[in-house]
Amino acid sequence: MQRLDTVAGLREALRERRRRGERIAFVPTMGALHDGHLSLVDAARQAGDVVVMSVFVNPLQFGPGEDLSRYPRDLEGDAAKAAARGVDVLFIPSADVMYPGTRAVEVRPIALAERWEGGARPGHFAGVLTVVAKLFNLVQPDAAVFGQKDIQQATLVRALVRDLDFPVQLIVAPTVRDADGLALSSRNVYLAPDERARALALSRALHGMARDFAGGTDEAAALLATARDTLAGAGVTPEYLALAHPDTLDPVAVATRGTIAMVAARVGTTRLIDNVILGA
Ligand code: AMP
């Protein structure tokens, strides 16, 4: 595995691969790698000849008071895991490499970001889209893999690719969960054991909605009421709990196959998100 931390080094390494006609598949991450991230590497391997992973904790996508300074970082562990899973090129730029000097331009969503994560985290998706656009220009991938875990992010990146004509095939890979259902997240390391137990209510509430939907309930109010009870039973108050249309992310009154059930909640001080697609 090549490990690179400069723009020139990355461009040079990939120019040679591209000249040989190799297809580049890209997995952007913020590191503290877990099996969810590594499953994206497997999907990238299917989609390309060269798998490029970036590890960059992007300051632009953290709001004031969020966890930027304490976000888990483990570069050596990440490099070992990436190499073992078959990453060919690991790009680990510093903030100065990604954002040298003054910035005058950013990529800001004009739709799809008012609600849910976008509503709870003002400016978050401008930070995400700006760094993804930069990474796409640096890596120039043929394909890029994102996780369903961050479904609003995947929706916005799809819009970025479409609206700004990035020649990138977007792949969205399923959420990897622990055996008990908790969606893997770098932020799970913040959870104390009792908090981790309460955090299970998120996936239980979502899977409960999927089960009720499969059983014939399609009224959003009814599905959401049961899910809210599940969360309340664990002492979890959601920031949002919603059934949304997969393309517009608008709330739906009646769920159909493909409707997204999603939740965000703070458990202790840790903010968690999760979603499932109904009828999937
Ligand atoms: P992050 O490092 O949190 O920015 O995540 C990097 C990529 O990994 C994003 O595309 C996430 O959606 C994806 N990801 C995070 N957690 C999971 C998971 N549990 N299963 C699948 N993909 C994930």
Side-chain angles (χ1 to χ4, degrees):
M1 184 179 77
Q2 268 181 298
R3 186 170 158 172
L4 304 164
D5 56 13
T6 66
V7 166
L10 177 74
R11 287 200 197 277
E12 172 65 23
L14 295 180
R15 192 178 308 124
E16 177 54 24
R17 306 271 200 161
R18 217 173 278 115
R19 204 184 51 73
R20 282 189 248 145
E22 296 181 10
R23 243 177 94 80
I24 296 171
F26 177 44
V27 179
T29 81
M30 298 206 299
L33 298 181
H34 51 64
D35 277 343
H37 296 116
L38 298 173
S39 76
L40 306 187
V41 173
D42 300 343
R45 173 59 58 212
Q46 299 294 312
D49 307 301
V50 188
V51 175
V52 180
M53 173 183 272
S54 61
V55 170
F56 178 59
V57 181
N58 173 34
L60 290 193
Q61 70 190 70
F62 289 79
E66 291 190 357
D67 58 345
L68 173 62
S69 61
R70 66 172 192 139
Y71 195 83
R73 288 165 169 86
D74 176 19
L75 283 188
E76 292 316 310
D78 287 348
K81 287 176 195 166
R85 198 67 164 230
V87 169
D88 299 297
V89 175
L90 183 64
F91 180 50
I92 314 184
S94 66
D96 288 341
V97 163
M98 288 300 283
Y99 303 114
T102 316
R103 295 188 314 121
V105 175
E106 67 174 9
V107 181
R108 198 183 316 163
I110 53 171
L112 299 171
E114 305 84 5
R115 296 191 168 94
W116 324 130
E117 286 308 284
R121 305 180 70 187
H124 170 67
F125 284 120
V128 169
L129 294 180
T130 299
V131 81
V132 169
K134 285 172 67 72
L135 289 167
F136 280 2
N137 284 328
L138 293 173
V139 175
Q140 297 182 28
D142 298 283
V145 188
F146 289 79
Q148 187 198 313
K149 165 75 168 39
D150 299 275
I151 198 160
Q152 190 172 9
Q153 170 174 282
T155 304
L156 276 156
V157 171
R158 185 175 295 113
L160 171 77
V161 164
R162 180 195 65 205
D163 292 355
L164 299 188
D165 303 295
F166 282 93
V168 179
Q169 176 201 355
L170 201 71
I171 297 165
V172 179
T175 302
V176 176
R177 300 176 179 282
D178 269 334
D180 56 13
L182 184 69
L184 298 189
S185 164
S186 302
R187 291 190 167 96
N188 291 352
V189 299
Y190 300 147
L191 295 169
D194 60 310
E195 293 172 341
R196 196 191 172 291
R198 289 171 54 222
L200 290 178
L202 274 70
S203 57
R204 272 211 312 274
L206 295 174
H207 286 117
M209 286 198 274
R211 256 196 320 277
D212 292 349
F213 175 73
T217 309
D218 63 359
E219 219 186 298
L223 293 164
L224 292 168
T226 311
R228 204 170 294 278
D229 286 347
T230 304
L231 293 171
V236 174
T237 309
E239 252 175 44
Y240 60 78
L241 172 70
L243 289 165
H245 188 280
D247 299 326
T248 62
L249 302 178
D250 288 337
V252 298
V254 176
T256 56
R257 206 182 162 79
T259 296
I260 304 165
M262 56 187 174
V263 65
R266 227 168 257 285
V267 179
T269 56
T270 308
R271 190 171 180 282
L272 300 173
I273 61 171
D274 197 359
N275 70 84
V276 303
I277 297 173
L278 300 188

